[in-house]
Amino acid sequence: MIFATKVSAPTYYLYDNGMNGIYLIIGGNLGERAQYLAQSKVYIEAQIGKIIRQSSMYETASWGDTAQHPFLNQVLYLETTLDADSILQNCLAIEKKIGRVRGAKWDARIIDIDILFFNNDIIENEQLKIPHPFLHLRRFVLTPLHEIAPHLMHPVLHQDITTLLQKCEDGLAVRKITES
């Protein structure tokens, strides 16, 4: 069961049309990284919702184990009719369809799809925490998110993405690979 609380923080790119606005980050550090990101976007649009905005792709050292191959990451903003639980289940199914095998926490991976925000909701249950509990600590998340939603307010921290990026102490370099 999901318990959600609506928060009155303003959003960016969230339309009042009955759709849910969701920010995802996709990334991977194995194989044909850009190809896996492209493939995941096709599945995301087919199974979750229409991609309205997408950041450029960014490369960064692997979080938690910088000895691994670097990640490519991209942030997507979607509109969907699905609820957060359904989105999570679809993200996991897409990862599996592309070939992700779950291992240890910091293992290399073909694809990873994480929910960053769902509307302005605050959701916490055994399977899902929204907003993503570590997004404000990770430059590889904040940089592409800032590209497409600099004024998006974090509903728990009550700061916009620009401020969170300025305060971020993560020292991993984030390098833009392609334009959105």
Side-chain angles (χ1 to χ4, degrees), residues 22-28 37 40 44 55 58 60 72-78 91 95 111-117 132 135 138-145:
I22 181 167
Y23 288 89
L24 300 176
I25 186 164
I26 58 176
L37 265 59
S40 71
I44 286 167
S55 73
Y58 290 84
T60 187
L72 277 188
N73 292 291
Q74 187 173 33
V75 169
L76 311 174
Y77 173 76
L78 296 87
C91 288
E95 288 177 350
I111 191 70
D112 189 30
I113 305 170
D114 287 334
I115 302 170
L116 301 175
F117 294 102
H132 191 287
L135 76 90
R138 297 175 174 171
R139 190 167 302 279
F140 74 86
V141 175
L142 291 170
T143 301
L145 184 56

Side-chain angles (χ1 to χ4, degrees), residues 148-172:
I148 64 172
H151 304 294
L152 177 69
M153 292 296 290
H154 192 293
V156 174
L157 302 175
H158 305 290
Q159 295 177 331
D160 66 15
I161 299 307
T162 298
T163 302
L164 293 175
L165 181 56
Q166 289 169 348
K167 291 181 172 184
C168 184
E169 296 180 6
D170 174 7
L172 293 179

Side-chain angles (χ1 to χ4, degrees), residues 34-57:
Q35 180 182 330
Y36 291 132
L37 265 59
Q39 188 177 11
S40 71
K41 289 189 287 188
V42 170
Y43 289 136
I44 286 167
E45 283 210 305
Q47 293 177 227
I48 298 175
K50 181 173 176 52
I51 298 171
I52 304 298
R53 294 284 315 248
Q54 60 184 343
S55 73
S56 303
M57 280 192 283

Side-chain angles (χ1 to χ4, degrees), residues 49-180:
K50 181 173 176 52
I51 298 171
I52 304 298
R53 294 284 315 248
Q54 60 184 343
S55 73
S56 303
M57 280 192 283
Y58 290 84
E59 186 174 66
T60 187
S62 179
W63 179 268
D65 182 357
T66 56
Q68 291 182 21
H69 192 69
F71 269 78
L72 277 188
N73 292 291
Q74 187 173 33
V75 169
L76 311 174
Y77 173 76
L78 296 87
E79 288 186 339
T80 183
T81 58
L82 299 178
D83 62 31
D85 256 350
S86 298
I87 293 166
L88 174 63
Q89 295 312 311
N90 277 287
C91 288
L92 295 172
I94 291 167
E95 288 177 350
K96 187 173 183 179
K97 191 181 297 187
I98 292 174
R100 177 163 181 188
V101 177
R102 291 195 174 267
K105 184 172 186 165
W106 304 115
D107 276 356
R109 57 202 68 162
I110 288 175
I111 191 70
D112 189 30
I113 305 170
D114 287 334
I115 302 170
L116 301 175
F117 294 102
F118 180 82
N119 298 324
N120 284 328
D121 294 3
I122 300 167
I123 302 171
E124 190 165 344
N125 62 43
E126 289 180 23
Q127 295 145 358
L128 190 57
K129 289 181 177 45
I130 300 176
H132 191 287
F134 304 113
L135 76 90
H136 65 289
L137 302 174
R138 297 175 174 171
R139 190 167 302 279
F140 74 86
V141 175
L142 291 170
T143 301
L145 184 56
H146 181 264
E147 180 183 330
I148 64 172
H151 304 294
L152 177 69
M153 292 296 290
H154 192 293
V156 174
L157 302 175
H158 305 290
Q159 295 177 331
D160 66 15
I161 299 307
T162 298
T163 302
L164 293 175
L165 181 56
Q166 289 169 348
K167 291 181 172 184
C168 184
E169 296 180 6
D170 174 7
L172 293 179
V174 178
R175 183 173 62 97
K176 186 185 286 189
I177 299 297
T178 65
E179 295 296 323
S180 57

